[in-house]
């Protein structure tokens, strides 16, 4: 009898925790509806399909980075180099696309070649982060902080510190930008990546082992888990996703800028944390991060719809991050 | 003599678990009052309430005739209550002398730590617990047993009237335990009240003046030790009497399973060892004797300097735990919290973790398949649980240990190292784990049982080796076991 009662209490508890994850999101949507300006015919601009899809497109870059960041953080790490990797990837892809001498006559090869090269470079940088964490036993914060400076410098070096612009003609670079800034394509890519990462994390051995090393590294050693392999893997994946975000960034902005992606690492970490993932490692979820990303995106959208000054926007953001994290994580740990 | 502390109607619930049920207790100065009970009986909760770490839901505490209204660790300390905890809450990144002196701010009146005062201060206490360690050593490098003695030394440094000791000898060998007993007796002479929490029936009977038995959060009774014996006490604890059986029969198998030749590491000085199929080999030795290193080295966690390891007479290379597991070796670590369990994972996930790659070759986890495999293994080890999806955090110490055993057995090991498998767990789980060890041995698994409890080794092993300063100092065949002899081999200089 006592057991049944205990079980019941626990079920209610888990139920409310699951529900909590959506509470902050629902609250911010509700807020958006209330304070949204109305269009000429009286409809709520915030809820118009055009606005909703805009939000998703706007969050997709940070969103993709945050997916990789989630796995890194759950493995008890952190990756501060993602913003710089995004910039380098954007610069590499635009440099290669706009380099007329190397441009292929085949549209498909001409676009996919530079993309693949940029992705490979990004993945290698991520793997280097992982190698330093796994084998040199340096703290992830320090490894990726160093990489953040180094890769940013590299991006400035390859571009001579200038923005590489993509035009609006019918050359290969312009076609690249036209295709990859297509709103629904970007949204689809983001959604597919969300699904892949979620399956990877929840359904595969790899996801389980990431949680294990983040939860208790010593016990993971005693379990015979190949810790180094997993660490290199999560950082490489995170680098790959940051590189992909960089390619989308280049297409959407019609340029590769060595100064792009500044502070993106912090926005991605904020999205992960709002999503209820513990910075101490071991606990968290991809679905939480998606919610966290949407909360951040909607927040920005609401403020911009209401013409709030960008500086005030930043101040409000800080307050909202704290409130959202509190709602998401619920009871304080005791 | 009046009571130093009266507890009246103390009641505590955690997340639906009724941990303490309206408890009344009295403690006197100059008296050693033991609290004994199985895991989950409420002993540790009681200790935490007295020293202010948690507050009771109901009930009052009267200390030296004054009621403590709002207790906290700082208030308790000011009142003269200190505690040696089971969790060893020391500061791993501070030095030994800093750890001992951490709460004695009187040392540094000028806000600047005086190195000379500090070292004189720490030496005084560290010698009392029989350790001889430099003051600037970092705690992270020390063994569990040494840490336990250090936390006792720290508690001694407080000016106290009442001291609570929560399983102070659970990680210690009998030799080091004797040091603790002497400290406790000395405290009694100084008219300090000692609350001694333990599982160990022998030590409770030898040490206490009063014994309180707790079961399921309720007081079964407080009895002066003169009116108690082992049998009575077990009966009070368990509610029914448990017979000490499980005596081994000698085995007559000659097949060599494992052979170690001249194994050297930085802590081991040339170990030669043979293990037969189905044999239970006991490893005795004091803390720091190299007994833990032996297990860690064979499991690939420590670097081998020289030596050969043969399994089924074939030499094998073990560089990491994966190599060890591939060769059929599994290790149950000594410290289940630090090196064993994953607390944000469920019982199921903890159990299957080391075999996932074996069961699911494609990399995708089939939840149903995982569930069946884990459940059948958990039944074998007699794990008591509500749901396999519960966190291991909710389990008692005994059941947590069974989860780890279950995880080891999932790999179907040929050689199983058990490092203090029954440390800090209740009597019933202990005897269940022993039966399990016996049935594994009958099925041909070679078992190396490292233990701090001589009784455990004598009751369960076919052969016992004794470690001393990194080498095996003696070996005892079946029928030659004697605790005096073993203790002697373990302690000779």
């Amino acid at each position: 009898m006592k057991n049944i009662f205990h079980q019941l209490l626990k079920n209610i508890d888990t139920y409310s925790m699951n529900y909590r994850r959506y509470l902050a999101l629902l609250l911010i949507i509700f807020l958006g509806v209330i304070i949204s300006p109305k269009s000429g015919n009286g409809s709520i601009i915030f809820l118009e399909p055009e606005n909703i899809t805009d939000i998703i497109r706007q969050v997709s870059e940070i969103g993709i980075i945050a997916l990789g960041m989630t796995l890194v953080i759950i493995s008890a790490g952190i990756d501060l180099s993602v913003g710089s990797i995004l910039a380098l990837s954007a610069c590499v892809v635009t440099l290669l696309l706009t380099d007329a001498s190397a441009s292929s006559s085949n549209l498909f090869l001409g676009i996919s070649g530079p993309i693949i090269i940029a992705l490979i470079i990004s993945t290698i940088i991520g793997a280097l982060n992982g190698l330093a964490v796994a084998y040199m036993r340096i703290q992830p914060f320090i490894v990726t902080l160093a990489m953040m400076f180094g890769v940013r410098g590299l991006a400035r070096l390859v571009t001579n510190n200038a923005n590489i612009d993509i035009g609006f003609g019918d050359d290969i670079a312009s076609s690249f930008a036209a295709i990859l800034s297509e709103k629904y394509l970007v949204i689809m890519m983001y959604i597919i990546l969300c699904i892949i990462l979620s399956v990877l994390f929840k359904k595969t051995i790899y996801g389980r082992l990431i949680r294990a090393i983040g939860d208790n590294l010593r016990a993971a050693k005693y379990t015979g888990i190949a810790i180094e392999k997993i660490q290199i893997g999560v950082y490489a994946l995170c680098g790959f996703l940051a590189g992909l975000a960089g390619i989308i960034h280049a297409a959407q902005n019609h340029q590769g800028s060595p100064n792009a992606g500044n502070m993106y690492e912090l926005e991605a970490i904020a999205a992960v944390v709002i999503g209820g993932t513990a910075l101490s490692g071991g606990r968290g979820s991809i679905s939480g991060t998606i919610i966290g990303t949407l909360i951040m995106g909607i927040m920005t959208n609401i403020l911009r719809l209401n013409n709030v000054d960008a500086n005030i926007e930043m101040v409000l953001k800080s307050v909202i991050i704290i409130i959202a994290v509190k709602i998401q994580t619920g009871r304080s740990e005791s | 003599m009046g009571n130093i502390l009266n507890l009246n109607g103390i009641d505590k619930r955690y997340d639906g678990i009724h941990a303490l049920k309206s408890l009344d207790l009295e403690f006197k100065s100059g008296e050693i009052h033991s609290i004994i009970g199985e895991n989950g009986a409420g002993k540790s909760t009681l200790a935490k309430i007295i020293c202010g770490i948690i507050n009771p839901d109901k009930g009052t505490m009267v200390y030296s005739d004054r009621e403590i209204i709002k207790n906290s660790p700082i208030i308790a300390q000011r009142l003269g209550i200190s505690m040696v905890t089971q969790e060893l809450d020391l500061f791993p990144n501070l030095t030994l002398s800093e750890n001992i002196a951490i709460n004695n701010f009187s040392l540094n009146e000028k806000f600047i730590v005086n190195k000379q005062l500090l070292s004189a201060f720490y030496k005084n206490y560290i010698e009392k617990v029989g350790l001889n360690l430099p003051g600037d050593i970092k705690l992270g490098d020390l063994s569990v047993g040494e840490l336990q003695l250090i936390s006792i030394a720290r508690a001694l440094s407080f000016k106290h009237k009442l001291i609570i000791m929560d399983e102070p000898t659970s990680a210690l060998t009998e030799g080091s335990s004797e040091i603790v007993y002497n400290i406790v007796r000395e405290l009694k002479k100084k008219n300090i009240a000692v609350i001694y929490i333990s599982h160990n029936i022998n030590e409770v009977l030898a040490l206490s003046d009063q014994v309180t038995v707790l079961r399921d959060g309720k007081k079964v009774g407080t009895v002066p030790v003169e009116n108690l014996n082992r049998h009575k006490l077990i009966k009070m604890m368990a509610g029914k009497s448990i017979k000490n059986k499980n005596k081994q029969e000698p085995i007559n198998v000659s097949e060599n399973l494992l052979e170690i030749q001249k194994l050297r590491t930085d802590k081991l000085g040339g170990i030669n060892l043979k293990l037969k199929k189905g044999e239970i080999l006991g490893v005795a030795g004091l803390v720091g004797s190299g007994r833990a290193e032996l297990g860690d080295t064979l499991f690939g966690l420590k670097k081998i300097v020289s030596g050969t390891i043969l399994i089924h007479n074939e030499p094998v290379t073990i560089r990491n735990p994966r190599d060890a597991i591939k060769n059929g070796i599994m290790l149950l670590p000594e410290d289940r919290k630090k090196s064993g369990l994953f607390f944000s994972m469920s019982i199921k996930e903890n159990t299957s973790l080391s075999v996932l790659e074996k069961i699911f070759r494609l990399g995708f986890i089939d939840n149903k398949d995982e569930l069946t495999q884990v459940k059948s293994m958990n039944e074998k080890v007699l794990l008591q649980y509500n749901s396999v999806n519960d966190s291991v955090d909710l389990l008692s110490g005994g059941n947590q240990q069974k989860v780890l055993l279950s995880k080891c057995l999932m790999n179907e090991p040929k050689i199983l190292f058990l490092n203090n498998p029954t440390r800090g767990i209740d009597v019933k789980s202990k005897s269940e784990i022993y039966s399990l060890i016996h049935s594994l041995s009958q099925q041909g698994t070679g078992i190396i049982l490292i233990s701090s409890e001589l009784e455990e080794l004598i009751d369960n092993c076919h052969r016992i080796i004794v470690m001393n300063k990194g080498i095996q100092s003696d070996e005892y065949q079946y029928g030659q076991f004697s605790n005096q002899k073993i203790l002697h081999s373990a302690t000779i200089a």
Side-chain angles (χ1 to χ4, degrees):
Chain A
M1 187 60 210
K2 211 179 80 188
N3 272 343
I4 297 170
F5 183 65
H6 181 198
Q7 193 62 38
L8 191 72
L9 271 179
K10 249 190 53 213
N11 284 345
I12 292 172
D13 212 43
T14 358
Y15 177 77
S16 73
M17 279 313 286
N18 287 340
Y19 166 74
R20 258 177 190 288
R21 299 166 66 179
Y22 301 97
L23 187 64
L25 182 61
L26 289 174
L27 276 177
I28 200 143
I29 291 173
F30 185 63
L31 185 73
V33 172
I34 294 180
I35 64 172
S36 165
K38 303 244 163 60
S39 65
N41 58 18
S43 74
I44 298 162
I45 292 177
F46 176 73
L47 286 179
E48 280 171 6
E50 191 66 17
N51 187 51
I52 304 257
T53 47
D54 271 345
I55 293 174
I56 301 176
R57 180 179 57 176
Q58 275 155 12
V59 301
S60 58
E61 279 172 43
I62 295 285
I64 290 170
I65 294 173
L67 293 175
M69 186 70 78
T70 309
L71 298 188
V72 171
I73 290 178
I74 291 174
S75 81
I78 194 113
D79 191 346
L80 300 178
S81 65
V82 285
S84 300
I85 294 177
L86 177 140
L88 181 65
S89 167
C91 292
V92 167
V93 84
T94 42
L95 268 175
L96 292 173
L97 284 166
T98 50
D99 183 2
S101 62
S103 72
S104 157
S105 53
N106 182 324
L107 184 68
F108 178 73
L109 280 179
I111 292 178
S112 60
I115 290 180
I116 289 168
I117 292 169
L119 288 177
I120 289 173
I121 292 173
S122 309
T123 311
I124 290 173
I125 293 168
L128 287 175
N129 279 331
L131 276 166
V133 170
Y135 288 107
M136 295 168 79
R137 301 253 151 254
I138 307 174
Q139 284 171 342
F141 187 96
I142 296 163
V143 170
T144 58
L145 183 72
M147 196 59 95
M148 175 178 106
F149 292 126
V151 174
R152 179 71 67 190
L154 214 55
R156 288 183 184 158
L157 264 177
V158 295
T159 55
N160 269 329
N161 218 359
N163 294 345
I164 314 291
D165 289 319
I166 295 174
F168 288 88
D170 49 10
D171 55 326
I172 283 181
S174 307
S175 321
F176 157 83
I179 295 168
L180 278 177
S181 57
E182 181 57 51
K183 190 179 190 175
Y184 289 96
L185 182 73
V186 172
I187 292 176
M188 273 313 290
M189 271 172 68
Y190 178 51
I191 292 174
I192 289 168
L193 284 169
C194 285
I195 294 169
I196 293 175
L197 267 286
S198 186
V199 169
L200 176 81
F201 181 62
K202 273 167 77 178
K203 303 277 180 204
T204 71
I205 294 173
Y206 189 67
R208 183 80 62 84
L209 297 184
I210 291 172
R211 276 172 62 208
I213 63 168
D215 183 332
N216 188 341
L217 192 69
R218 208 181 142 109
K221 232 183 248 169
Y222 273 88
T223 306
I225 294 173
I227 295 166
E228 292 82 7
K229 246 197 243 168
I230 292 165
Q231 281 176 331
I232 294 166
V234 276
Y235 285 95
L237 180 61
C238 192
F240 170 84
L241 290 172
L244 188 62
I247 289 161
I248 296 171
H249 188 86
Q252 302 227 6
N253 294 285
H254 271 260
Q255 70 172 198
S257 159
N259 298 315
N262 204 10
M263 299 255 282
Y264 274 30
E265 58 283 340
L266 299 183
E267 298 224 12
I269 293 167
V272 174
V273 171
I274 291 173
T277 293
L279 273 180
S280 51
R283 271 172 302 141
S285 66
I286 294 290
S287 56
T289 295
I290 298 168
I291 291 169
T293 308
L294 290 176
I295 289 174
M296 298 262 292
I298 292 170
M299 193 167 79
T300 311
N301 182 261
I302 295 172
L303 297 174
R304 295 210 176 137
L305 282 181
N306 288 286
N307 287 324
V308 176
D309 176 78
N311 296 326
I312 297 176
E313 183 189 320
M314 272 180 95
V315 175
L316 286 176
K317 237 181 189 174
S318 73
V319 178
I320 294 173
I321 287 173
I322 298 294
I323 294 172
V325 167
K326 190 65 204 154
I327 294 174
Q328 286 292 59
T329 49
R331 304 174 297 186
S332 59
E333 307 263 326
S334 62
Chain B
M1 199 169 20
N3 295 335
I4 183 158
L5 178 68
N6 280 359
L7 302 180
N8 307 315
I10 298 288
D11 214 87
K12 179 72 191 174
R13 280 171 197 275
Y14 295 107
D15 304 322
I17 298 167
H18 206 162
L20 289 177
K21 295 166 189 161
S22 185
L23 208 62
D24 299 316
L25 277 173
E26 297 173 357
F27 301 98
K28 289 191 175 69
S29 295
E31 195 175 77
I32 302 170
H33 191 141
S34 291
I35 310 278
I36 191 166
E38 291 197 15
N39 253 50
K43 302 183 302 279
S44 295
T45 309
L46 178 66
K48 284 182 189 157
I49 285 175
I50 295 173
C51 63
I53 296 169
I54 53 177
N55 282 310
D57 301 332
K58 265 185 262 168
T60 54
M61 285 173 64
V62 181
Y63 181 82
S64 299
D65 299 324
R66 283 174 59 200
E67 190 177 339
I68 306 177
I69 305 291
K70 205 164 186 265
N71 203 2
S72 75
I74 294 172
I75 289 175
Q77 219 183 83
R78 284 203 189 127
L79 291 169
I81 300 174
S82 65
M83 170 156 160
V84 178
T85 57
Q86 210 178 338
E87 270 85 27
L88 306 168
D89 36 11
L90 297 163
F91 302 92
N93 292 321
L94 296 184
T95 65
L96 173 56
S97 53
E98 285 164 343
N99 260 287
I100 302 268
I102 191 88
N103 278 336
N104 289 273
F105 295 117
S106 55
L107 272 181
N108 44 343
E109 283 153 9
K110 293 170 195 156
F111 283 99
I112 295 164
V113 180
N114 179 330
K115 285 258 157 92
Q116 265 138 22
L117 270 179
L118 190 67
S119 105
F121 183 81
Y122 108 86
K123 266 210 175 111
N124 186 14
Y125 293 102
I126 208 73
E127 277 163 12
K128 272 191 188 160
V129 295
L131 288 176
N132 184 17
L133 294 167
D136 54 3
I137 194 170
K138 289 264 161 65
L139 293 198
D141 304 330
L142 300 176
S143 73
V144 184
E146 285 166 331
L147 292 177
Q148 198 143 33
L149 288 171
I150 290 167
S151 66
I152 292 170
R154 184 172 69 167
L156 289 179
S157 74
F158 299 138
K159 291 200 170 31
H160 38 227
K161 292 178 192 144
L162 185 149
I163 180 162
I164 307 165
M165 296 192 158
D166 192 357
E167 307 263 3
T169 57
S170 62
L172 298 180
T173 55
E174 314 211 345
S176 329
S177 299
E178 200 54 48
I179 297 168
V180 177
Y181 303 151
N182 286 332
I183 291 170
V184 172
R185 290 190 187 108
E186 218 172 281
L187 290 170
K188 178 186 166 168
K189 273 190 209 136
K190 289 187 195 155
N191 203 31
I192 289 163
V194 180
I195 302 178
Y196 195 89
I197 294 173
S198 177
H199 273 113
N200 187 326
I201 294 164
N202 293 340
E203 89 180 9
V204 163
L205 287 173
L207 202 61
S208 331
D209 299 310
Q210 297 283 337
V211 180
T212 292
V213 178
L214 295 184
R215 194 168 71 222
D216 297 330
K218 266 191 296 212
K219 184 166 98 172
V220 181
T222 300
V223 188
V225 79
E226 306 88 83
N227 305 338
L228 272 178
N229 59 35
R230 193 182 161 81
H231 186 71
K232 263 193 203 164
L233 198 53
I234 291 178
K235 215 169 165 180
M236 283 175 85
M237 283 166 70
K240 60 177 191 214
S241 69
I242 295 170
K243 275 199 191 121
N244 189 3
K245 40 182 183 183
N246 301 335
K247 295 282 184 198
Q248 286 296 331
E249 296 292 322
I251 57 159
N252 32 17
V253 181
S254 54
E255 195 185 331
N256 264 347
L257 183 60
L258 170 76
E259 189 174 345
I260 297 168
Q261 293 167 346
K262 295 179 196 155
L263 184 72
R264 277 176 193 277
T265 71
D266 59 343
K267 292 230 172 100
L268 296 177
I271 300 280
N272 293 299
L273 187 124
K274 275 182 190 171
L275 179 72
K276 288 176 185 141
K277 213 179 157 196
E279 187 178 33
I280 305 176
L281 174 67
V283 180
L286 300 180
V287 170
S289 64
R291 48 167 211 198
E293 278 75 18
L294 179 64
D296 284 353
T297 307
L298 275 165
F299 198 58
L301 288 158
K302 294 269 158 72
K303 217 179 156 206
I304 297 172
V305 177
S306 66
T308 322
I309 299 169
L310 302 155
I311 291 176
H312 288 306
N313 301 318
E314 297 280 328
V316 292
T317 322
I318 295 172
R319 281 157 310 186
N320 54 45
R322 293 172 79 75
D323 289 346
I325 292 171
K326 258 182 233 151
N327 282 299
I329 302 174
M330 275 308 289
L331 173 82
L332 183 83
E334 178 174 22
D335 187 332
R336 61 171 170 272
K337 287 196 171 135
K338 265 207 219 147
S339 346
L341 294 163
F342 297 89
F343 282 101
S344 59
M345 293 189 147
S346 66
I347 296 171
K348 182 183 78 177
E349 291 167 332
N350 266 282
T351 312
S352 64
L353 202 58
S354 63
V355 289
L356 286 175
E357 279 148 323
K358 248 190 231 172
I359 310 178
F360 307 111
R361 292 185 187 277
L362 290 175
F364 284 90
I365 297 170
D366 178 347
N367 273 318
K368 264 191 197 154
D369 197 9
E370 186 189 9
L371 199 69
T372 9
Q373 302 224 23
V374 165
K375 266 193 173 163
S376 77
M377 191 52 80
N378 286 343
E379 270 161 33
K380 254 184 224 164
V381 301
L382 304 171
L383 183 75
Q384 284 162 323
Y385 59 97
N386 281 330
S387 153
V388 284
N389 293 319
D390 282 352
S391 158
V392 283
D393 215 3
L394 296 170
L395 296 175
S396 70
N399 280 314
Q400 288 181 344
Q401 202 69 352
K402 285 179 188 169
V403 168
L404 290 179
L405 256 173
S406 176
K407 171 175 155 189
C408 283
L409 297 183
M410 291 288 280
N411 269 304
E412 297 169 337
K414 286 186 284 188
I415 299 159
L416 184 58
F417 270 93
L418 303 170
N419 192 347
N420 284 292
T422 63
R423 183 188 163 198
I425 69 174
D426 59 277
V427 177
K428 192 166 150 265
S429 304
K430 254 187 183 180
S431 76
E432 283 167 357
I433 286 178
Y434 295 146
S435 326
L436 192 74
I437 293 174
H438 298 159
S439 74
L440 284 168
S441 126
Q442 273 152 22
Q443 290 155 27
T445 312
I447 291 161
I448 300 180
L449 175 62
I450 301 172
S451 179
S452 295
E453 284 180 52
L454 289 181
E455 209 181 308
E456 175 166 295
L457 293 174
I458 291 171
D459 280 356
N460 296 292
C461 295
H462 295 116
R463 191 157 53 98
I464 297 174
I465 60 164
V466 186
M467 298 282 296
N468 192 346
K469 301 199 176 76
I471 51 164
Q472 68 211 96
S473 58
D474 260 311
E475 180 171 331
Y476 293 94
Q477 299 301 327
Y478 185 81
Q480 300 177 339
F481 301 162
S482 126
N483 42 3
Q484 274 110 348
K485 277 196 256 167
I486 293 173
L487 205 57
H488 180 71
S489 315
T491 48
I492 44 173

